Amino acid sequence: MSLTSTSAWQALTRHRDALCAQGMDTILRDAARLKNFDIAFDGLRLNYAFQNMTAETLTLLLALAEQQKVQDWRARMFGGDKINTTENRAVLHTALRCREDTPILVDRLDIMPEIRATQNRVAAFVDDVRGGVWKGITGKPFRHIVNIGIGGSDLGPRLAAQALRPFASGFETHFVANADAFDITSVLQKVDPAQTLFVVVSKTFTTQETLLNAHAAREWLVQKLGEEAVTRHFVAVSVNSAEVEKFGIHADNMFPMWDWVGGRYSLWSAVGLSVALAIGNDNFRDLLAGAEAMDAHFQSAPMAANMPVILALLGVWNRNFLGSASLAILPYCERLRDLPRYLQQLEMESNGKSVTRGGETVDYKTVPVLFGDCGTISQHSFHQCLHQGSDPIPADFIGVANDDLNRPESHRALLSNLAAQMGALAFGQKQAAVPQDVYPGGRPSNLVLLDNLDPRRLGMLLALYEHKTFVQGVLWDVNSFDQPGVELGKRMARGLEKDASSGAQVSNDLIGQFFKTILP
Ligand code: F6P
């Protein structure tokens, strides 16, 4: 039976119709909502009082979660079942932040000892580099870390390095992702080869952009310091030891990851090496501990007070019943400026699917388009559209309650703007001299508030969205852990490149030639 014909879905549809007929205005004005629609634990709060929903909506959404067996799927994920069925893989990023050594079996083998061994190797390497024991070829300690990766091998570490910069010491961390060589050359111009460590992160070690950049970096280093510098200045994180060695990175300088960790869920593994190098082992452990705390909450909190579950259900309510096609991610914190891009990959690569786990084409919408920027910068670019555009766009406002690093005036300005934006979106302004000044209101938003932006709270925040994504995948009945949609374009590009290089004709009209080849 299609999801849209199920009793839980039908009940929500009827409820939506009744609620829309009644109008949300009076409902939103009930002050008790601020307290009733709020979940907080351990320094992280989700307040959803400004969503276009009632307690009854929540009850019906929770019935949908039950119908779709969210709790069973959750147990299967944490237990190591191969829920990524298209790739026949378990999904165990949660094991990476689990501090207990209770065995978790994949193909009847306990993965915990290997996780611990890798964590110990990473920690020892971090201490050696930070302590100046692992030096560059000329004997100088490292000062620059250059992370070369893309997608999940870039966005998580990039976000965490920026968010936790106040916890960093000793190094400048740089991130290179784009195939456009401007990216790598801009970094190489800034760093001293004798003091630069390259961390090449690629689960597959076949990703075109990463290999282009890694080769560019390698050539530059060899030119400056000679071939023997490569073993001291390059390390890799990958599952593919053969390709890593082919590139010229010694097996001892490679940190493993595993096929049961998806790229976009991999910050917690050795993929986070650049972050650990920047902030040190203790802070990196706190990041993992925060994610672990969210895992525990997700597993044990009642469904009606379960932060990721509620966040996911509200998203489905907006997407499938109120018709929102997008979601704005608005961190009111410069250090979280990379969060929108990180969540774009997390949610859109995970749930940007139109075929169910059973192979049926869906007859309902799945993931919305995520976009965003830092508030208040976003207020001066796209908020006009949030307030008065023809499509209501739900938004997640992410704030930091206490920020000792900020100037008090600036911090106050950030939080007052955040609250004002949420209020203006929710309540609008109905009376105005001219129609252009009318704000319709009724535009839903969540508040996600961190007590502080520290490693633990960041871990909690990212795990919150990971589990939200997982729950939505279960509700929509899609596999959130594969990404077959990215392959066709990759294959076509490889084919075109091969043709172009064998034809040797690289001219100004290259793109024209490519298009001619593509057209059927
Ligand atoms: O093309 C998409 C993707 O496969 C992402 O899922 C992944 O995070 C990224 O490419 C990078 O892959 P890799 O870590 O294998 O280089």
Side-chain angles (χ1 to χ4, degrees):
M1 191 189 347
S2 152
L3 175 59
T4 53
S5 333
T6 61
S7 56
W9 194 278
Q10 290 289 319
L12 278 159
T13 307
R14 285 192 299 275
H15 169 70
R16 183 265 326 270
D17 293 345
L19 209 56
C20 289
Q22 177 187 346
M24 287 306 298
D25 276 34
T26 45
I27 295 168
L28 284 183
R29 283 173 198 280
D30 173 9
R33 290 172 69 91
L34 287 175
K35 184 163 65 63
N36 294 344
F37 296 147
D38 190 84
I39 305 172
F41 82 97
D42 213 355
L44 188 69
R45 149 165 278 121
L46 168 66
N47 190 287
Y48 52 102
F50 290 174
Q51 290 288 338
N52 289 335
M53 44 73 69
T54 63
E56 190 189 350
T57 319
L58 206 58
T59 306
L60 295 171
L61 286 166
L62 287 164
L64 178 69
E66 184 159 354
Q67 174 192 281
Q68 296 303 98
K69 300 193 169 28
V70 168
Q71 302 187 60
D72 291 356
W73 282 99
R74 182 182 64 190
R76 291 179 63 187
M77 178 174 74
F78 279 91
D81 263 20
K82 294 193 173 174
I83 60 168
N84 175 358
T85 44
T86 50
E87 297 179 326
N88 193 29
R89 290 175 182 169
V91 174
L92 279 169
H93 46 281
T94 50
L96 297 164
R97 54 236 191 175
C98 179
R99 272 173 299 182
E100 277 175 29
D101 283 319
T102 315
I104 299 178
L105 304 182
V106 174
D107 293 327
R108 284 192 249 144
L109 274 182
D110 180 11
I111 59 168
M112 290 316 292
E114 210 186 329
I115 292 177
R116 282 295 169 260
T118 304
Q119 285 173 337
N120 292 339
R121 270 190 67 209
V122 168
F125 182 70
V126 166
D127 280 341
D128 282 354
V129 174
R130 288 178 63 82
V133 176
W134 182 287
K135 293 189 176 73
I137 190 88
T138 66
K140 286 191 183 169
F142 289 114
R143 286 284 159 261
H144 294 277
I145 310 291
V146 181
N147 190 95
I148 300 177
I150 198 164
S153 299
D154 167 71
L155 293 167
R158 188 190 287 262
L159 156 66
Q162 167 71 5
L164 302 177
R165 220 156 66 179
F167 296 83
S169 57
F171 299 99
E172 242 191 273
T173 315
H174 312 265
F175 290 87
V176 174
N178 203 334
D180 185 339
F182 187 77
D183 202 4
I184 181 82
T185 48
S186 313
V187 170
L188 297 180
Q189 273 161 16
K190 282 191 280 201
V191 299
D192 168 11
Q195 297 197 283
T196 301
L197 177 68
F198 293 95
V199 180
V200 186
V201 186
S202 177
K203 182 174 168 182
T204 54
F205 226 79
T206 56
T207 303
Q208 183 189 39
E209 296 87 336
T210 301
L211 290 179
L212 277 169
N213 286 323
H215 278 290
R218 192 184 193 286
E219 276 165 31
W220 173 85
L221 185 81
V222 169
Q223 200 187 33
K224 303 278 182 193
L225 299 177
E227 185 68 37
E228 60 285 5
V230 174
T231 33
R232 298 300 295 174
H233 291 251
F234 271 85
V235 295
V237 181
S238 185
V239 290
N240 192 345
S241 48
E243 284 302 317
V244 170
E245 287 197 53
K246 209 157 100 191
F247 177 86
I249 296 176
H250 194 271
D252 291 347
N253 298 345
M254 177 188 136
F255 299 95
M257 59 183 296
W258 304 275
D259 69 3
W260 41 260
V261 191
R264 51 195 176 272
Y265 299 87
S266 65
L267 169 66
W268 326 101
S269 69
V271 168
L273 179 60
S274 299
V275 182
L277 285 164
I279 65 176
N281 286 318
D282 288 347
N283 285 317
F284 194 72
R285 277 185 210 109
D286 283 350
L287 178 77
L288 301 194
E292 186 191 35
M294 182 54 71
D295 294 342
H297 167 88
F298 177 46
Q299 284 181 287
S300 62
M303 295 293 269
N306 194 308
M307 222 185 264
V309 170
I310 297 299
L311 195 57
L313 289 172
L314 293 169
V316 165
W317 173 242
N318 284 325
R319 179 75 177 117
N320 298 102
F321 298 94
L322 301 182
S324 308
S326 49
L327 171 66
I329 303 293
L330 306 171
Y332 273 64
C333 173
E334 184 61 27
R335 288 191 279 143
L336 289 175
R337 69 175 180 209
D338 294 318
L339 187 65
R341 278 216 274 175
Y342 171 83
L343 293 183
Q344 268 174 339
Q345 189 202 8
L346 177 64
E347 297 203 23
M348 294 170 76
E349 201 173 68
S350 295
N351 290 333
K353 318 272 164 72
S354 335
V355 173
T356 66
R357 279 181 296 233
E360 307 280 323
T361 300
V362 298
D363 61 354
Y364 45 87
K365 303 290 183 189
T366 61
V367 78
V369 173
L370 275 79
F371 71 101
D373 201 347
C374 268
T376 63
I377 293 169
S378 55
Q379 291 177 203
H380 301 272
S381 57
F382 57 76
H383 280 222
Q384 164 63 38
C385 178
L386 300 188
H387 290 289
Q388 292 184 315
S390 52
D391 295 302
I393 299 172
D396 282 1
F397 285 82
I398 295 123
V400 179
N402 305 295
D403 190 354
D404 298 344
L405 297 166
N406 218 329
R407 287 171 69 237
E409 306 81 313
S410 307
H411 188 228
R412 220 173 12 251
L414 277 177
L415 292 188
S416 59
N417 271 286
L418 180 158
Q421 291 295 313
M422 289 184 69
L425 286 167
F427 302 114
Q429 170 183 275
K430 301 283 179 328
Q431 307 301 325
V434 290
Q436 286 80 355
D437 287 344
V438 169
Y439 288 62
R443 305 205 158 192
S445 63
N446 287 313
L447 171 65
V448 179
L449 191 65
L450 289 75
D451 268 6
N452 299 287
L453 181 48
D454 55 19
R456 184 178 176 86
R457 298 312 168 325
L458 182 69
M460 291 176 73
L461 177 73
L462 302 187
L464 165 66
Y465 276 94
E466 281 182 352
H467 295 320
K468 170 208 170 179
T469 304
F470 166 73
V471 172
Q472 290 194 331
V474 172
L475 296 170
W476 286 320
D477 190 22
V478 297
N479 176 6
S480 302
F481 301 103
D482 62 1
Q483 53 287 323
V486 301
E487 293 307 325
L488 175 62
K490 282 188 197 172
R491 268 201 311 276
M492 285 172 76
R494 270 200 298 271
L496 291 175
E497 235 188 305
K498 236 198 277 148
D499 285 356
S501 43
S502 57
Q505 213 29 273
V506 176
S507 72
N508 285 341
D509 194 30
L510 195 56
I511 194 85
Q513 293 175 30
F514 285 162
F515 281 159
K516 265 190 226 142
T517 321
I518 293 168
L519 291 176

